[in-house]
Coordinates of all heavy atoms in Angstrom, one line a residue:
Chain A
C83 N 18.6 -21.0 -6.9 CA 17.5 -20.1 -7.0 C 17.4 -19.2 -5.7 O 17.4 -18.0 -5.8 CB 16.2 -20.8 -7.2 SG 14.8 -19.8 -7.1
V84 N 17.3 -19.9 -4.6 CA 17.1 -19.1 -3.3 C 18.3 -18.3 -2.9 O 18.2 -17.2 -2.4 CB 16.7 -20.1 -2.2 CG1 16.8 -19.5 -0.9 CG2 15.3 -20.7 -2.4
K92 N 16.4 -10.9 -8.1 CA 15.2 -10.1 -8.3 C 15.2 -9.0 -7.3 O 14.7 -7.9 -7.5 CB 14.0 -11.0 -8.2 CG 12.7 -10.2 -8.5 CD 12.3 -10.4 -10.0 CE 11.1 -9.5 -10.4 NZ 9.8 -9.7 -9.8
L93 N 15.6 -9.2 -6.0 CA 15.6 -8.2 -5.0 C 16.6 -7.1 -5.3 O 16.3 -5.9 -5.1 CB 16.0 -8.9 -3.6 CG 14.9 -9.8 -3.1 CD1 15.3 -10.5 -1.8 CD2 13.6 -8.9 -2.7
Q96 N 15.1 -5.1 -8.0 CA 14.1 -4.3 -7.4 C 14.7 -3.0 -6.8 O 14.2 -1.9 -7.0 CB 13.3 -5.0 -6.4 CG 12.2 -4.2 -5.6 CD 11.1 -3.7 -6.4 OE1 11.0 -4.0 -7.6 NE2 10.2 -2.9 -5.8
A97 N 15.8 -3.2 -6.1 CA 16.5 -2.1 -5.6 C 16.9 -1.1 -6.7 O 16.7 0.1 -6.5 CB 17.8 -2.5 -4.8
L100 N 13.8 0.7 -7.9 CA 13.4 1.7 -7.0 C 14.2 3.0 -7.2 O 13.7 4.1 -7.1 CB 13.5 1.2 -5.6 CG 12.5 0.2 -5.1 CD1 12.8 -0.4 -3.8 CD2 11.1 0.9 -5.0
G101 N 15.5 2.8 -7.6 CA 16.3 4.0 -7.9 C 15.6 4.8 -9.1 O 15.6 6.0 -9.0
P108 N 9.8 13.0 -8.5 CA 9.6 14.5 -8.6 C 8.7 14.9 -9.7 O 7.9 15.9 -9.5 CB 11.0 15.0 -8.8 CG 11.9 13.9 -8.4 CD 11.2 12.7 -8.6
Y110 N 6.1 13.5 -10.5 CA 4.7 13.3 -10.0 C 4.4 14.1 -8.8 O 3.4 13.8 -8.1 CB 4.5 11.8 -9.7 CG 4.3 10.9 -10.9 CD1 5.4 10.4 -11.7 CD2 3.0 10.6 -11.4 CE1 5.2 9.6 -12.8 CE2 2.8 9.8 -12.5 CZ 3.9 9.3 -13.2 OH 3.7 8.5 -14.3
G111 N 5.3 15.0 -8.5 CA 5.0 15.9 -7.4 C 5.7 15.6 -6.1 O 5.5 16.4 -5.1
W112 N 6.5 14.6 -6.0 CA 7.1 14.3 -4.7 C 8.4 15.1 -4.6 O 9.2 15.3 -5.5 CB 7.5 12.8 -4.7 CG 6.3 11.9 -4.6 CD1 5.7 11.2 -5.6 CD2 5.5 11.6 -3.4 NE1 4.6 10.5 -5.1 CE2 4.5 10.8 -3.8 CE3 5.6 12.1 -2.0 CZ2 3.5 10.3 -2.8 CZ3 4.6 11.6 -1.2 CH2 3.6 10.8 -1.6
E113 N 8.6 15.7 -3.4 CA 9.7 16.5 -3.2 C 10.9 15.7 -2.8 O 11.3 15.6 -1.6 CB 9.4 17.7 -2.2 CG 8.4 18.6 -2.9 CD 7.7 19.6 -1.9 OE1 8.2 19.6 -0.7 OE2 6.8 20.3 -2.2
V118 N 20.0 10.8 -5.1 CA 19.9 10.1 -3.8 C 20.9 9.0 -3.8 O 20.9 8.2 -4.7 CB 18.5 9.5 -3.7 CG1 18.4 8.7 -2.4 CG2 17.4 10.6 -3.7
P119 N 21.7 9.0 -2.8 CA 22.8 8.0 -2.8 C 22.2 6.6 -2.3 O 21.2 6.5 -1.7 CB 23.8 8.5 -1.7 CG 22.9 9.4 -0.8 CD 21.8 9.9 -1.6
H120 N 23.0 5.6 -2.8 CA 22.6 4.2 -2.4 C 23.7 3.6 -1.5 O 24.8 3.7 -1.8 CB 22.3 3.3 -3.7 CG 21.9 1.9 -3.3 ND1 22.8 0.9 -3.3 CD2 20.7 1.5 -2.9 CE1 22.1 -0.2 -3.0 NE2 20.9 0.1 -2.7
D121 N 23.2 2.8 -0.6 CA 24.1 2.2 0.4 C 24.1 0.7 0.1 O 23.0 0.1 0.2 CB 23.6 2.5 1.8 CG 24.7 2.2 2.8 OD1 25.5 1.2 2.6 OD2 24.7 2.8 3.9
M124 N 22.1 -2.7 1.6 CA 21.0 -3.4 1.1 C 21.2 -4.9 1.1 O 20.4 -5.7 1.3 CB 20.7 -2.9 -0.3 CG 20.2 -4.0 -1.2 SD 20.4 -3.7 -3.0 CE 22.1 -4.1 -3.2
H131 N 16.7 -12.1 4.1 CA 15.5 -12.7 3.5 C 15.9 -14.1 3.0 O 15.1 -15.0 3.2 CB 15.0 -11.9 2.3 CG 13.8 -12.5 1.7 ND1 12.6 -12.7 2.4 CD2 13.6 -13.0 0.4 CE1 11.7 -13.3 1.5 NE2 12.3 -13.5 0.4
G220 N 21.9 0.5 -12.1 CA 20.8 1.1 -11.4 C 21.0 1.6 -10.0 O 20.4 2.5 -9.5
P350 N 11.2 -23.0 -12.2 CA 9.9 -23.6 -12.2 C 9.8 -24.9 -13.0 O 9.1 -25.8 -12.5 CB 9.0 -22.5 -13.0 CG 9.7 -21.2 -12.7 CD 11.2 -21.6 -12.7
M354 N 8.5 -28.3 -11.1 CA 7.4 -29.1 -11.6 C 7.9 -30.5 -12.0 O 7.2 -31.5 -11.7 CB 6.8 -28.5 -12.9 CG 5.5 -29.2 -13.2 SD 4.6 -28.4 -14.6 CE 3.8 -27.0 -13.8
M371 N 6.5 -34.6 -17.8 CA 6.8 -33.2 -17.8 C 6.7 -32.7 -19.3 O 7.3 -33.3 -20.1 CB 8.1 -32.9 -17.2 CG 8.6 -31.5 -17.2 SD 7.6 -30.5 -16.1 CE 8.3 -29.0 -16.6
P377 N 7.7 -20.4 -20.3 CA 7.9 -19.0 -20.3 C 9.1 -18.6 -19.4 O 9.4 -19.3 -18.5 CB 6.6 -18.5 -19.7 CG 6.1 -19.5 -18.8 CD 6.6 -20.8 -19.4
T379 N 11.6 -14.9 -18.0 CA 11.8 -13.5 -18.1 C 13.3 -13.2 -17.7 O 13.8 -13.8 -16.8 CB 10.9 -12.8 -17.1 OG1 9.5 -13.0 -17.5 CG2 11.1 -11.3 -17.0
E416 N 3.0 5.3 -17.5 CA 3.8 5.9 -16.4 C 5.1 6.5 -16.9 O 5.6 7.4 -16.2 CB 4.1 4.7 -15.4 CG 2.9 4.1 -14.7 CD 2.1 3.2 -15.5 OE1 2.6 2.9 -16.7 OE2 1.0 2.9 -15.1
T418 N 5.3 8.6 -19.4 CA 5.0 9.9 -20.0 C 5.3 11.0 -19.0 O 6.2 11.8 -19.3 CB 3.5 10.0 -20.4 OG1 2.7 9.7 -19.3 CG2 3.2 9.0 -21.5
N450 N 7.5 -4.9 -15.8 CA 6.7 -6.0 -15.4 C 6.5 -7.1 -16.4 O 5.4 -7.6 -16.5 CB 5.4 -5.5 -14.9 CG 5.5 -4.4 -13.8 OD1 6.1 -4.6 -12.8 ND2 5.0 -3.2 -14.1
E453 N 5.0 -10.4 -15.3 CA 3.6 -10.4 -15.0 C 2.8 -10.4 -16.3 O 1.8 -11.1 -16.4 CB 3.3 -9.1 -14.2 CG 4.1 -8.9 -13.0 CD 3.9 -9.9 -11.9 OE1 3.2 -10.9 -12.0 OE2 4.5 -9.7 -10.8
Q456 N 3.1 -14.2 -18.2 CA 2.6 -15.4 -17.6 C 1.3 -15.8 -18.1 O 1.1 -17.0 -18.5 CB 2.5 -15.2 -16.0 CG 2.0 -16.4 -15.3 CD 3.0 -17.6 -15.3 OE1 3.9 -17.6 -14.5 NE2 2.9 -18.5 -16.2
G457 N 0.3 -14.9 -18.1 CA -1.0 -15.2 -18.6 C -1.0 -15.6 -20.1 O -1.7 -16.6 -20.5
L460 N -0.1 -19.2 -20.6 CA -1.3 -20.1 -20.5 C -2.0 -20.1 -21.8 O -2.5 -21.2 -22.2 CB -2.2 -19.5 -19.4 CG -1.9 -19.8 -18.0 CD1 -2.9 -19.0 -17.1 CD2 -2.0 -21.3 -17.7
K463 N -0.3 -22.3 -24.2 CA -0.5 -23.7 -23.8 C -1.9 -24.2 -24.3 O -2.1 -25.4 -24.6 CB -0.5 -23.8 -22.3 CG -0.5 -25.2 -21.7 CD 0.6 -26.1 -22.1 CE 1.8 -26.0 -21.1 NZ 2.9 -26.9 -21.5
C464 N -2.9 -23.3 -24.4 CA -4.2 -23.7 -24.9 C -4.2 -23.6 -26.4 O -5.3 -23.8 -27.0 CB -5.2 -22.7 -24.3 SG -5.4 -22.8 -22.6
R473 N -9.4 -11.1 -30.3 CA -10.8 -11.0 -29.8 C -10.8 -10.7 -28.3 O -11.9 -10.4 -27.7 CB -11.6 -12.3 -30.0 CG -12.2 -12.3 -31.4 CD -13.4 -13.2 -31.4 NE -13.2 -14.5 -30.9 CZ -12.7 -15.5 -31.7 NH1 -12.4 -15.3 -33.0 NH2 -12.5 -16.7 -31.2
T474 N -9.7 -10.8 -27.6 CA -9.6 -10.5 -26.2 C -9.5 -9.0 -26.0 O -8.7 -8.3 -26.6 CB -8.3 -11.1 -25.6 OG1 -8.2 -12.5 -25.9 CG2 -8.3 -10.9 -24.1
L475 N -10.4 -8.5 -25.2 CA -10.4 -7.0 -25.0 C -9.3 -6.6 -24.1 O -9.0 -7.4 -23.2 CB -11.8 -6.6 -24.5 CG -12.8 -6.6 -25.6 CD1 -14.2 -6.6 -25.1 CD2 -12.6 -5.3 -26.5
G476 N -8.8 -5.4 -24.3 CA -7.7 -5.0 -23.5 C -8.1 -4.4 -22.1 O -9.3 -4.0 -22.0
I477 N -7.2 -4.5 -21.2 CA -7.5 -3.8 -19.9 C -6.8 -2.4 -20.0 O -5.6 -2.4 -20.4 CB -6.9 -4.6 -18.7 CG1 -7.5 -5.9 -18.7 CG2 -7.1 -3.8 -17.4 CD1 -6.9 -6.8 -17.6
H478 N -7.5 -1.4 -19.7 CA -7.0 -0.1 -20.0 C -6.9 0.7 -18.7 O -7.8 0.7 -17.9 CB -7.9 0.6 -20.9 CG -7.5 1.9 -21.5 ND1 -6.4 2.0 -22.3 CD2 -8.0 3.1 -21.3 CE1 -6.2 3.3 -22.6 NE2 -7.1 4.0 -22.0
P479 N -5.8 1.5 -18.4 CA -4.6 1.5 -19.3 C -3.5 0.6 -18.7 O -3.1 0.8 -17.5 CB -4.2 3.0 -19.2 CG -4.9 3.5 -17.9 CD -5.8 2.5 -17.4
C481 N 0.2 -1.9 -20.0 CA 1.1 -2.2 -21.1 C 0.7 -3.5 -21.8 O 0.8 -3.6 -23.0 CB 2.6 -2.4 -20.6 SG 3.3 -0.9 -19.8
A482 N 0.2 -4.4 -21.0 CA -0.2 -5.8 -21.5 C -1.3 -5.7 -22.6 O -1.3 -6.5 -23.5 CB -0.7 -6.7 -20.4
E483 N -2.1 -4.7 -22.5 CA -3.2 -4.6 -23.5 C -2.6 -4.4 -24.9 O -3.3 -4.7 -25.9 CB -4.2 -3.4 -23.2 CG -3.6 -2.0 -23.3 CD -4.6 -0.9 -23.1 OE1 -5.7 -1.0 -23.6 OE2 -4.3 0.0 -22.3
C503 N -3.8 7.1 -26.7 CA -3.5 7.1 -25.2 C -3.2 5.7 -24.7 O -3.5 4.7 -25.4 CB -4.7 7.7 -24.4 SG -6.1 6.6 -24.3
Chain B
H44 N -13.1 9.1 -26.6 CA -11.9 8.8 -27.4 C -12.1 7.6 -28.3 O -11.5 7.5 -29.3 CB -10.7 8.8 -26.5 CG -10.2 7.4 -26.1 ND1 -9.0 7.2 -25.5 CD2 -10.7 6.2 -26.3 CE1 -8.8 6.0 -25.3 NE2 -9.8 5.3 -25.8
C81 N -12.3 9.0 -20.8 CA -11.1 8.2 -20.6 C -9.9 9.0 -20.6 O -9.1 9.0 -19.6 CB -11.0 7.1 -21.7 SG -9.4 6.2 -21.6
K90 N -4.9 6.7 -13.7 CA -3.8 5.8 -13.6 C -2.5 6.6 -13.2 O -1.7 6.2 -12.5 CB -3.6 5.1 -14.9 CG -2.5 4.0 -14.8 CD -3.1 2.6 -14.6 CE -2.1 1.5 -14.2 NZ -1.2 1.2 -15.3
L91 N -2.4 7.8 -13.8 CA -1.2 8.6 -13.5 C -1.2 9.0 -12.0 O -0.2 9.0 -11.4 CB -1.2 9.9 -14.4 CG -0.9 9.6 -15.8 CD1 -1.0 10.8 -16.7 CD2 0.6 9.1 -16.0
Q94 N -0.3 6.1 -10.0 CA 1.1 5.9 -10.1 C 1.8 6.9 -9.1 O 2.8 6.4 -8.5 CB 1.6 6.2 -11.5 CG 3.1 6.1 -11.7 CD 3.7 4.7 -11.6 OE1 3.0 3.8 -11.3 NE2 5.0 4.6 -11.8
A95 N 1.4 8.1 -9.0 CA 2.0 9.0 -8.1 C 1.9 8.4 -6.6 O 2.9 8.5 -5.9 CB 1.3 10.4 -8.1
L98 N 4.3 5.6 -6.3 CA 5.7 6.1 -6.1 C 5.9 6.5 -4.7 O 7.0 6.4 -4.2 CB 5.9 7.3 -7.1 CG 6.1 6.8 -8.5 CD1 6.2 8.0 -9.5 CD2 7.4 6.0 -8.7
G99 N 4.9 7.1 -4.0 CA 5.1 7.4 -2.6 C 5.4 6.2 -1.8 O 6.3 6.2 -1.0
Y108 N 15.8 -0.8 0.9 CA 16.7 -1.3 -0.1 C 18.0 -0.5 -0.3 O 18.7 -0.6 -1.2 CB 16.0 -1.3 -1.5 CG 15.0 -2.5 -1.7 CD1 13.7 -2.4 -1.3 CD2 15.4 -3.6 -2.4 CE1 12.8 -3.4 -1.5 CE2 14.5 -4.7 -2.6 CZ 13.2 -4.6 -2.2 OH 12.3 -5.6 -2.4
G109 N 18.2 0.3 0.8 CA 19.5 1.0 0.8 C 19.6 2.4 0.2 O 20.6 3.0 0.2
W110 N 18.4 2.9 -0.2 CA 18.4 4.3 -0.8 C 18.2 5.2 0.4 O 17.4 5.1 1.2 CB 17.3 4.4 -1.8 CG 17.5 3.6 -3.0 CD1 17.0 2.4 -3.3 CD2 18.4 4.0 -4.1 NE1 17.4 2.0 -4.6 CE2 18.3 2.9 -5.1 CE3 19.2 5.1 -4.4 CZ2 19.0 2.9 -6.3 CZ3 19.9 5.1 -5.6 CH2 19.8 4.0 -6.5
N111 N 19.0 6.3 0.4 CA 19.0 7.3 1.5 C 17.9 8.3 1.2 O 18.3 9.5 1.0 CB 20.4 7.9 1.7 CG 21.3 6.8 2.3 OD1 20.9 5.8 2.8 ND2 22.6 7.1 2.2
K117 N 7.4 15.1 1.1 CA 6.2 15.9 0.9 C 5.7 15.8 -0.5 O 6.6 15.5 -1.4 CB 6.4 17.3 1.3 CG 6.5 17.6 2.8 CD 6.0 19.0 3.1 CE 7.0 20.0 2.5 NZ 7.6 20.9 3.5
H118 N 4.5 16.0 -0.8 CA 3.9 15.9 -2.1 C 3.3 17.2 -2.5 O 2.6 17.9 -1.8 CB 2.9 14.8 -2.2 CG 2.4 14.6 -3.6 ND1 1.2 15.2 -4.1 CD2 2.9 13.9 -4.7 CE1 1.1 14.9 -5.4 NE2 2.1 14.1 -5.8
D119 N 3.6 17.6 -3.8 CA 3.1 18.9 -4.3 C 2.0 18.6 -5.3 O 2.2 18.2 -6.4 CB 4.3 19.6 -5.0 CG 3.9 21.0 -5.6 OD1 2.7 21.2 -5.8 OD2 4.9 21.8 -5.8
K122 N 2.1 20.5 -8.8 CA 3.1 20.0 -9.7 C 2.6 18.7 -10.4 O 2.7 18.5 -11.6 CB 4.4 19.7 -8.9 CG 5.5 19.3 -9.8 CD 6.9 19.7 -9.2 CE 8.0 19.4 -10.2 NZ 9.0 18.5 -9.8
M123 N 1.9 17.9 -9.6 CA 1.4 16.6 -10.2 C 0.3 16.9 -11.2 O 0.3 16.4 -12.3 CB 0.9 15.7 -9.1 CG 0.2 14.5 -9.7 SD -0.5 13.4 -8.4 CE -1.8 14.3 -7.9
H130 N 0.1 16.0 -20.1 CA 0.1 14.8 -20.9 C -1.3 14.7 -21.6 O -1.4 14.3 -22.7 CB 0.3 13.6 -20.0 CG 0.2 12.3 -20.8 ND1 1.0 12.0 -21.8 CD2 -0.7 11.3 -20.7 CE1 0.7 10.8 -22.3 NE2 -0.3 10.4 -21.6
P337 N -12.0 0.0 -23.6 CA -11.6 -0.9 -24.6 C -12.9 -1.6 -25.3 O -12.9 -1.8 -26.5 CB -10.8 -2.0 -23.9 CG -10.3 -1.3 -22.7 CD -11.4 -0.4 -22.3
Q341 N -13.5 -1.2 -29.3 CA -13.7 -2.4 -30.1 C -15.1 -2.3 -30.9 O -15.2 -2.6 -32.0 CB -13.7 -3.6 -29.2 CG -13.9 -5.0 -29.9 CD -12.6 -5.6 -30.4 OE1 -11.8 -4.9 -31.1 NE2 -12.3 -6.8 -30.0
P362 N -12.1 -8.5 -19.6 CA -11.2 -8.3 -18.3 C -11.3 -6.9 -17.9 O -11.5 -6.0 -18.7 CB -9.8 -8.7 -18.8 CG -9.8 -8.3 -20.3 CD -11.2 -8.5 -20.8
T364 N -9.7 -4.0 -14.5 CA -8.9 -3.8 -13.4 C -9.3 -2.6 -12.6 O -9.6 -1.6 -13.2 CB -7.4 -3.7 -13.8 OG1 -7.0 -4.9 -14.4 CG2 -6.5 -3.4 -12.6
E401 N 9.1 -8.5 -3.8 CA 9.6 -7.1 -3.5 C 9.1 -6.5 -2.2 O 9.6 -5.6 -1.7 CB 9.1 -6.2 -4.7 CG 9.7 -6.5 -6.0 CD 9.1 -7.8 -6.7 OE1 8.1 -8.2 -6.2 OE2 9.7 -8.3 -7.7
T403 N 9.0 -8.2 0.6 CA 9.5 -8.9 1.8 C 10.5 -8.0 2.5 O 10.5 -7.9 3.7 CB 10.3 -10.2 1.3 OG1 11.3 -9.8 0.3 CG2 9.3 -11.2 0.7
N435 N 0.4 -4.6 -10.0 CA 0.3 -4.8 -11.4 C -0.8 -5.8 -11.8 O -0.6 -6.6 -12.7 CB 1.7 -5.3 -11.9 CG 2.8 -4.4 -11.5 OD1 2.8 -3.2 -11.9 ND2 3.8 -4.9 -10.8
E438 N -1.6 -5.9 -15.6 CA -0.6 -6.6 -16.4 C -0.8 -8.1 -16.3 O -0.6 -8.9 -17.2 CB 0.8 -6.2 -16.0 CG 1.1 -4.7 -15.9 CD 1.0 -4.0 -17.3 OE1 0.7 -4.6 -18.3 OE2 1.2 -2.8 -17.3
Q441 N -4.3 -9.4 -18.0 CA -4.5 -9.4 -19.5 C -4.3 -10.7 -20.2 O -5.1 -11.2 -21.0 CB -3.6 -8.3 -20.1 CG -3.8 -8.1 -21.6 CD -5.1 -7.5 -21.9 OE1 -5.3 -6.3 -21.9 NE2 -6.1 -8.4 -22.3
G442 N -3.2 -11.3 -19.9 CA -2.8 -12.6 -20.6 C -3.8 -13.7 -20.2 O -4.2 -14.5 -21.0
F443 N -4.3 -13.7 -18.9 CA -5.3 -14.7 -18.5 C -6.6 -14.5 -19.3 O -7.3 -15.5 -19.6 CB -5.5 -14.6 -17.0 CG -4.4 -15.2 -16.2 CD1 -3.4 -14.4 -15.8 CD2 -4.4 -16.5 -16.0 CE1 -2.3 -14.9 -15.1 CE2 -3.3 -17.1 -15.3 CZ -2.3 -16.3 -14.8
A445 N -6.8 -13.6 -22.3 CA -6.6 -14.3 -23.6 C -6.7 -15.8 -23.4 O -7.3 -16.5 -24.3 CB -5.2 -13.9 -24.2
K448 N -10.2 -16.8 -23.2 CA -10.8 -16.7 -24.5 C -10.6 -18.0 -25.2 O -11.4 -18.4 -26.1 CB -10.2 -15.5 -25.2 CG -11.0 -15.1 -26.5 CD -12.4 -14.7 -26.3 CE -12.5 -13.2 -26.0 NZ -13.9 -12.8 -25.8
L451 N -9.5 -22.0 -21.5 CA -8.6 -22.6 -20.5 C -9.3 -23.5 -19.5 O -10.3 -23.2 -18.9 CB -7.9 -21.4 -19.7 CG -6.9 -21.7 -18.6 CD1 -5.6 -22.2 -19.2 CD2 -6.7 -20.5 -17.7
Q455 N -5.0 -27.5 -18.0 CA -4.0 -26.7 -18.8 C -3.3 -25.7 -18.0 O -2.1 -25.5 -18.1 CB -4.7 -26.0 -20.0 CG -5.1 -26.9 -21.1 CD -6.1 -26.3 -22.1 OE1 -7.0 -25.6 -21.7 NE2 -5.9 -26.5 -23.3
D457 N -2.6 -26.1 -14.8 CA -1.6 -26.8 -14.0 C -0.4 -27.2 -14.8 O 0.7 -27.4 -14.2 CB -2.3 -28.1 -13.4 CG -3.2 -27.7 -12.3 OD1 -3.1 -26.6 -11.7 OD2 -4.0 -28.6 -11.9
S458 N -0.6 -27.5 -16.1 CA 0.6 -27.9 -16.8 C 1.4 -26.8 -17.4 O 2.4 -27.0 -18.0 CB 0.1 -28.8 -17.9 OG -0.6 -28.1 -18.9
T459 N 1.0 -25.6 -17.1 CA 1.8 -24.4 -17.6 C 2.8 -24.1 -16.5 O 2.4 -24.0 -15.3 CB 0.9 -23.2 -17.9 OG1 -0.1 -23.6 -18.8 CG2 1.7 -22.1 -18.4
I460 N 4.0 -23.8 -16.9 CA 5.0 -23.5 -16.0 C 5.1 -22.1 -15.6 O 4.8 -21.2 -16.5 CB 6.4 -24.0 -16.6 CG1 6.3 -25.5 -16.9 CG2 7.5 -23.7 -15.6 CD1 7.5 -26.1 -17.4
G461 N 5.4 -21.8 -14.4 CA 5.4 -20.4 -13.9 C 6.7 -19.7 -14.3 O 7.7 -20.3 -14.5
I462 N 6.6 -18.4 -14.3 CA 7.8 -17.6 -14.4 C 8.2 -17.1 -13.0 O 7.4 -16.7 -12.2 CB 7.5 -16.3 -15.3 CG1 7.1 -16.7 -16.7 CG2 8.7 -15.4 -15.3 CD1 6.6 -15.5 -17.5
H463 N 9.5 -17.3 -12.8 CA 9.9 -17.1 -11.4 C 11.0 -16.0 -11.3 O 11.9 -16.0 -12.1 CB 10.5 -18.4 -10.9 CG 10.8 -18.5 -9.5 ND1 9.9 -18.4 -8.5 CD2 12.0 -18.6 -8.9 CE1 10.5 -18.4 -7.3 NE2 11.8 -18.6 -7.5
P464 N 11.0 -15.1 -10.3 CA 9.9 -14.9 -9.4 C 9.0 -13.8 -9.7 O 9.5 -12.6 -9.7 CB 10.7 -14.6 -8.1 CG 12.1 -14.1 -8.6 CD 12.1 -14.3 -10.0
C466 N 4.6 -12.3 -9.4 CA 3.4 -12.5 -8.7 C 2.5 -13.5 -9.5 O 1.8 -14.3 -9.0 CB 2.6 -11.2 -8.5 SG 3.5 -10.1 -7.4
A467 N 2.5 -13.3 -10.8 CA 1.5 -14.0 -11.7 C 1.7 -15.5 -11.6 O 0.8 -16.3 -11.8 CB 1.7 -13.6 -13.1
F482 N 7.1 -17.1 -1.2 CA 8.1 -17.4 -2.3 C 7.3 -18.2 -3.3 O 7.5 -19.0 -4.0 CB 9.3 -18.0 -1.7 CG 10.2 -18.9 -2.5 CD1 11.4 -19.3 -1.9 CD2 9.9 -19.3 -3.8 CE1 12.3 -20.1 -2.6 CE2 10.8 -20.1 -4.5 CZ 12.0 -20.5 -3.9

Side-chain angles (χ1 to χ4, degrees):
Chain A
C83 173
V84 167
K92 188 94 191 296
L93 289 171
Q96 175 68 0
L100 285 169
Y110 282 87
W112 292 101
E113 288 166 13
V118 177
H120 181 261
D121 193 332
M124 145 201 82
H131 179 65
M354 191 175 284
M371 176 70 188
T379 298
E416 292 76 11
T418 56
N450 305 301
E453 309 293 6
Q456 180 72 81
L460 277 174
K463 185 64 87 178
C464 299
R473 276 211 301 278
T474 307
L475 283 163
I477 299 174
H478 189 65
C481 296
E483 66 175 316
C503 76
Chain B
H44 101 170
C81 173
K90 188 98 193 291
L91 289 171
Q94 175 68 358
L98 286 172
Y108 280 88
W110 292 98
N111 292 342
K117 288 208 295 237
H118 183 263
D119 181 340
K122 186 147 187 242
M123 176 181 70
H130 178 63
Q341 180 89 307
T364 296
E401 294 76 12
T403 55
N435 304 303
E438 308 294 3
Q441 181 69 82
F443 284 93
K448 193 63 88 177
L451 179 72
Q455 284 168 319
D457 285 344
S458 68
T459 304
I460 301 184
I462 298 173
H463 187 64
C466 294
F482 157 171

